[in-house]
Amino acid sequence: MDLNTISEVVRRPSDRPGADWREGDAWLAGGTWLFSAEQPGLHRLVDLTALGWDPLVPSGAGLEIGATCTIRDLYAFTPPADWTAGPLFARSCEAFLSSFKVWNSATVGGNICMSLPAGPMITLTVALEAEYELWAPDGSVRTVDALDFVTGNNRNILAPGELLRRIRVPARALRGRTAHRLFTLTRLGRSTVFLVGTQTAGRSDLLLTVTAGTTRPLRIAFDTVPDARTLQQSINAIPADVWFADPNGTPDHRHHLTLHFAEEIRHELMAGGPA
């Protein structure tokens, strides 16, 4: 879609682009959502892709994902053999309701900052206990837990002019075991629920991440894999107003699916199933 209110596109921003931020600006990365709807309040686009941020930087500490990393690049990434959580990257990419054209442009950071319940990059990074590095216009930097970033449907903690610079996924989480369940009404539809269970290598704990069915991501943590009743009670304790409603599912439907799939995940990790 043409954005007829845009009067300028900053193609070569400074290394700290927030310093020049002004009302009516928007950060431009993939632009797959930005150009999909009218944006009457915008007057200038600042192209972050020109900054050349490294998309993926693996190290002994874990994985650093640049906010402008495309979904295509993340999907093509081959993690080290000891990162047993590695298959979750591809599965999360496959959860996108999008064509290959979108994959080639859409970015990890863009999906996170859209902060929609079904955002699969939110699911991925929350489940793997990632941290987000945020840059403010005044030059300050803050680091937040991925869990705390999204606050509701299309809402997050970003202040005006603040941007997501990178995502850091710790090696400890990447070396853990995972089990996931995803439900959609149609084969290529938007996620109704997306659950991920993780377990620290050499331990019997369980971290259950609940997304898509809720307006914001949730983590439910157990020191050891709980029994079925305890797990069910933890899910039932989720406040009623946190369950999401849209054409892909009612809150009751999503609650029911979450109970069902969480129990499958519990069994899989307790039984030592696939990582």
Side-chain angles (χ1 to χ4, degrees):
M1 174 177 287
D2 291 334
L3 302 181
N4 57 18
T5 62
I6 300 299
S7 59
E8 182 183 0
V9 178
V10 180
R11 294 292 186 186
R12 297 181 182 277
S14 66
D15 289 342
R16 285 283 181 170
D20 299 322
W21 177 267
R22 60 193 188 214
E23 187 175 353
D25 284 358
W27 303 121
L28 173 63
T32 54
W33 175 82
L34 197 60
F35 288 99
S36 72
E38 294 182 5
Q39 309 290 347
L42 298 185
H43 306 291
R44 191 173 71 151
L45 302 179
V46 183
D47 186 1
L48 298 178
T49 62
L51 295 174
W53 294 339
D54 290 332
L56 296 157
V57 183
S59 70
L63 179 65
E64 181 181 293
I65 306 172
T68 54
C69 174
T70 65
I71 305 307
R72 176 198 60 195
D73 286 343
L74 183 63
Y75 189 71
F77 174 64
T78 302
D82 65 333
W83 288 7
T84 48
L88 193 58
F89 288 111
R91 189 65 190 96
S92 298
C93 291
E94 291 164 353
F96 269 93
L97 173 58
S98 61
S99 69
F100 72 92
K101 295 179 182 179
V102 172
W103 274 38
N104 287 341
S105 299
T107 62
V108 174
N111 185 251
I112 291 170
C113 291
M114 274 299 296
S115 302
L116 298 175
M121 297 297 99
I122 299 168
T123 307
L124 172 69
T125 53
V126 171
L128 295 181
E129 303 175 71
E131 292 183 336
Y132 299 161
E133 181 181 306
L134 309 180
W135 286 6
D138 64 4
S140 62
V141 176
R142 61 173 173 151
T143 301
V144 300
D145 188 322
L147 178 67
D148 299 326
F149 182 80
V150 176
T151 58
N153 178 24
N154 199 210
R155 300 201 310 271
N156 58 50
I157 64 171
L158 285 173
E162 197 170 29
L163 62 86
L164 172 60
R165 169 59 183 90
R166 56 171 62 88
I167 301 102
R168 293 190 180 95
V169 184
R172 172 185 52 78
L174 291 165
R175 295 191 179 103
R177 299 178 58 248
T178 69
H180 70 270
R181 294 295 186 275
L182 173 68
F183 180 87
T184 60
L185 290 177
T186 60
R187 188 173 68 87
L188 297 177
R190 179 171 292 184
S191 302
T192 300
V193 296
F194 192 175
L195 279 69
V196 179
T198 60
Q199 191 171 63
T200 308
R203 293 182 54 191
S204 59
D205 58 345
L206 171 62
L207 187 67
L208 180 68
T209 298
V210 178
T211 63
T214 51
T215 56
R216 55 181 172 83
L218 301 174
R219 283 194 197 125
I220 304 174
F222 302 94
D223 291 335
T224 59
V225 176
D227 58 31
R229 181 181 180 185
T230 300
L231 179 60
Q232 183 182 54
Q233 289 174 337
S234 297
I235 293 169
N236 288 339
I238 296 172
D241 61 355
V242 175
W243 293 102
F244 187 51
D246 73 353
N248 297 289
T250 64
D252 285 346
H253 178 53
R254 288 177 148 114
H255 183 189
H256 169 76
L257 290 172
T258 299
L259 288 170
H260 174 76
F261 290 131
E263 178 60 14
E264 289 190 353
I265 287 172
R266 185 185 77 88
H267 265 286
E268 184 173 322
L269 292 177
M270 186 171 60

